[in-house]
Amino acid sequence: MADLTREALIDRWVLTHGCPPPKGISRRLLELSAAYALQSKASGGLKPGLRRILAAALPSESKPSKTVRDTTTIKPGTRFVRVWNGRSHHIEVVPDGFLWNEKHYRSLTAIARAITGSRWSGPRFFGL
């Protein structure tokens, strides 16, 4: 990093962080930031568990907003199989909901609750 100009280090900062560096930032910090960006790109960055720990340590006003989960549509005809307490449960996706035990349900959560007898997230219960 020592062979890069300050302008090149600033360009790398902008590329990595998506904004200009703070005014008056030292060259050494720019070098460290560029080195960390290279290392995290090569090694995959922080593990998800460590990211959660670090995020929990942030004050609430500086926490990043939660991302909206990508909701994929499940096509009619898809079948789910879930084993619960030694019993296999087969769910079929139909255009207006789900079929389980020849009964129609509007959501996977309702089926998960019927199977377990307790509150479950349907998508989580079925591994989606």
Side-chain angles (χ1 to χ4, degrees):
M1 297 293 152
D3 58 333
L4 293 176
T5 65
R6 182 175 177 81
E7 290 73 29
L9 289 169
I10 289 174
D11 289 342
R12 287 191 182 221
W13 176 286
V14 171
L15 186 65
T16 302
H17 300 285
C19 62
K23 293 200 183 289
I25 191 170
S26 70
R27 177 181 175 84
R28 179 71 180 139
L29 191 53
L30 289 169
E31 290 173 342
L32 289 171
S33 172
Y36 177 77
L38 286 173
Q39 288 175 344
S40 66
K41 185 176 181 182
S43 66
L46 297 175
K47 293 181 180 177
L50 184 54
R51 284 184 186 272
R52 283 191 295 274
I53 291 168
L54 291 172
L58 288 173
S60 60
E61 64 273 0
S62 62
K63 286 186 181 177
S65 63
K66 295 193 180 217
T67 57
V68 176
R69 193 169 74 176
D70 179 29
T71 56
T72 56
T73 21
I74 306 166
K75 296 180 182 176
T78 303
R79 291 179 178 239
F80 297 110
V81 178
R82 174 68 153 92
V83 177
W84 180 258
N85 289 338
R87 185 171 168 228
S88 291
H89 299 276
H90 300 266
I91 292 84
E92 183 177 348
V93 180
V94 293
D96 58 341
F98 306 91
L99 288 178
W100 174 64
N101 285 347
E102 299 178 9
K103 187 175 175 189
H104 182 269
Y105 291 84
R106 292 184 55 187
S107 71
L108 287 173
T109 300
I111 297 172
R113 186 174 298 146
I115 291 172
T116 64
S118 62
R119 291 186 173 265
W120 270 84
S121 160
R124 177 171 282 180
F125 182 77
F126 291 101
L128 303 178

